[in-house]
């Protein structure tokens, strides 16, 4: 992803993250997707020096995802499951709050490390059930919220260049 940030006052900044997902895959499965998330941000700095800063952040989120393989399962009550895959795309929106800090070189002129941890609400917009072959197949969206683009807990580690 890419990040842009601009200070509007000594303790306030605005910016945006843009994250791309190219050939994304769920952590423990075979679903495949591409997409992006755009996250405009507002930061309030508790401490702000040239070489470091600690902040609280509030953000909006908008994203688009195109699943080339979205899996649904039908539990046969035996040791096997019946599975179907579909293609599906959607737009989604949400919100994010975080706390973090950045640490730059001595003069704060060349590079920095930005670390934040936060909570986000960014829901998937695909159907939870799919009808096919006279059966109701269900989708397990747990991976979306635990390790996918909609993770409830989000940790960001960014290497930054200062221009």
């Amino acid at each position: 992803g890419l990040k842009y940030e601009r200070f509007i006052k000594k303790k306030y900044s605005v910016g945006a993250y843009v994250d791309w997902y190219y050939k994304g895959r769920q952590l423990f499965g075979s679903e495949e997707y591409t997409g992006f998330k755009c996250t405009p941000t507002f930061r309030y700095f508790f401490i702000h020096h040239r070489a470091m800063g600690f902040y609280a952040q509030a953000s909006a989120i908008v994203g688009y995802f195109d699943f080339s393989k979205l899996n649904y399962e039908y539990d046969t009550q035996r040791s096997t499951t019946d599975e179907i895959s579909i293609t599906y795309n959607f737009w989604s929106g949400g919100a994010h709050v975080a706390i973090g800090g950045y640490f730059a070189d001595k003069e704060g002129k060349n590079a920095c490390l930005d670390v934040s941890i936060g909570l986000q609400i960014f829901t998937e917009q695909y159907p939870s059930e799919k009808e096919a072959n006279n059966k109701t197949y269900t989708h397990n969206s747990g991976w979306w919220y635990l390790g996918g683009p909609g993770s409830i807990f989000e940790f960001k580690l960014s290497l930054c260049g200062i221009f």
Side-chain angles (χ1 to χ4, degrees):
L2 293 174
K3 172 190 156 196
Y4 176 79
E5 181 177 14
R6 181 157 187 96
F7 281 88
I8 54 177
K9 291 203 176 206
K10 181 169 176 67
K11 290 197 169 215
Y12 302 97
S13 74
V14 292
Y17 285 98
V18 178
D19 299 306
W20 287 274
Y21 299 87
Y22 178 70
K23 292 191 177 186
R25 297 181 70 92
Q26 75 183 79
L27 195 55
F28 299 108
S30 60
E31 293 186 327
E32 298 170 359
Y33 59 94
T34 59
F36 74 91
K37 279 178 23 181
C38 182
T39 310
T41 62
F42 173 81
R43 288 182 174 174
Y44 169 76
F45 284 81
F46 305 111
I47 298 171
H48 177 227
H49 300 291
R50 281 190 87 95
M52 75 170 194
F54 295 97
Y55 58 83
Q57 174 179 301
S59 308
I61 306 169
V62 65
Y64 174 80
F65 292 88
D66 184 356
F67 280 80
S68 58
K69 188 175 182 185
L70 184 61
N71 299 329
Y72 290 81
E73 292 181 348
Y74 176 78
D75 188 358
T76 63
Q77 303 297 328
R78 296 187 295 251
S79 61
T80 62
T81 57
D82 185 12
E83 184 177 279
I84 60 171
S85 295
I86 65 168
T87 59
Y88 198 81
N89 56 52
F90 63 89
W91 285 91
S92 187
H96 178 256
V97 292
I99 57 171
Y102 77 86
F103 310 93
D105 60 352
K106 277 188 171 183
E107 282 82 42
K109 292 183 180 177
N110 297 314
C112 70
L113 177 68
D114 191 346
V115 180
S116 68
I117 187 163
L119 300 171
Q120 75 173 349
I121 299 170
F122 187 61
T123 58
E124 83 283 11
Q125 299 297 319
Y126 45 76
S128 60
E129 295 182 340
K130 181 75 177 156
E131 296 288 330
N133 306 323
N134 295 323
K135 300 175 190 173
T136 301
Y137 293 79
T138 58
H139 183 270
N140 180 357
S141 61
W143 72 271
W144 177 269
Y145 296 105
L146 295 175
S151 293
I152 295 168
F153 297 103
E154 185 175 58
F155 173 76
K156 283 198 185 256
L157 175 63
S158 305
L159 300 175
C160 315
I162 300 172
F163 303 100

